[in-house]
Amino acid sequence: MIRLATKLDIKGIETIFRERFTTDQDYLNMVFTYLFPMSKCYVYTEDKQILSTLFLIPIKYNTPQTSYKGYYMYGVATLKSASNRGLAKKIIQHIKEETRKEGGDFIICKPAEKSLFKYYSNLGYSINIPKTPFTISEVIKIYLS
């Protein structure tokens, strides 16, 4: 089942982050203190266990004529024991549909490794990024710097 995460899910999400990204407690504290409350975090669960996760950080893409509402996709990961089952792909497809329903204009991501560009390309993402600046919340700016 795919759903929005709650504070009760932080321990399960942190388990995935520790396994897939880092064991640095300062970094993990920052993710769950600042990023978690300011973004949408989706989880894929089975039998109440969190197997996969994905964060959507709200951003805007501004042009001289208009402003577009979108998200930066971050922290896409699946527990090693649940790998190769397409769980991350299911969450990505789900968030694309949810973003469309709420009137969102775009989702961007920057794969952590070059090898992931093909994975995201196969899911419909392109490598072309416009050179017009976009704005994000001050809390997220601090987090990303």
Side-chain angles (χ1 to χ4, degrees):
M1 173 172 93
I2 299 170
R3 62 175 173 77
L4 277 170
T6 69
K7 287 183 180 182
L8 298 174
D9 298 316
I10 288 176
K11 185 175 179 182
I13 299 164
E14 184 175 333
T15 298
I16 295 172
F17 267 62
R18 285 182 174 281
E19 186 178 277
R20 291 300 193 164
F21 300 124
T22 184
T23 58
D24 180 334
Q25 193 58 51
D26 288 338
Y27 176 84
L28 294 169
N29 289 343
M30 188 170 49
V31 167
F32 296 107
T33 300
Y34 300 106
L35 182 62
F36 186 83
M38 298 297 296
S39 62
K40 292 182 180 182
C41 179
Y42 287 86
V43 291
Y44 184 99
T45 63
E46 284 180 2
D47 300 322
K48 298 183 182 179
Q49 181 185 12
I50 296 171
L51 302 178
S52 192
T53 188
L54 174 156
F55 281 81
L56 287 180
I57 302 169
I59 59 175
K60 289 183 181 177
Y61 175 74
N62 296 313
T63 70
Q65 296 79 26
T66 191
S67 180
Y68 299 95
K69 177 185 169 190
Y71 294 98
Y72 176 79
M73 186 169 38
Y74 176 80
V76 181
T78 301
L79 282 174
K80 289 179 184 177
S81 62
S83 290
N84 300 315
R85 294 178 42 198
L87 303 183
K89 181 179 178 180
K90 288 178 183 179
I91 296 178
I92 291 169
Q93 290 169 333
H94 179 81
I95 60 106
K96 283 169 118 176
E97 292 171 24
E98 290 294 312
T99 299
R100 264 191 226 109
K101 285 179 190 175
E102 71 178 30
D105 298 303
F106 66 94
I107 301 169
I108 63 169
C109 69
K110 182 188 178 296
E113 299 173 12
K114 192 173 183 176
S115 62
L116 292 172
F117 277 88
K118 184 176 180 179
Y119 175 81
Y120 287 105
S121 178
N122 289 338
L123 293 174
Y125 290 86
S126 69
I127 295 174
N128 301 325
I129 297 177
K131 296 187 188 232
T132 306
F134 59 87
T135 58
I136 56 178
S137 75
E138 290 303 314
V139 172
I140 302 303
K141 280 183 189 177
I142 293 166
Y143 173 76
L144 293 175
S145 57

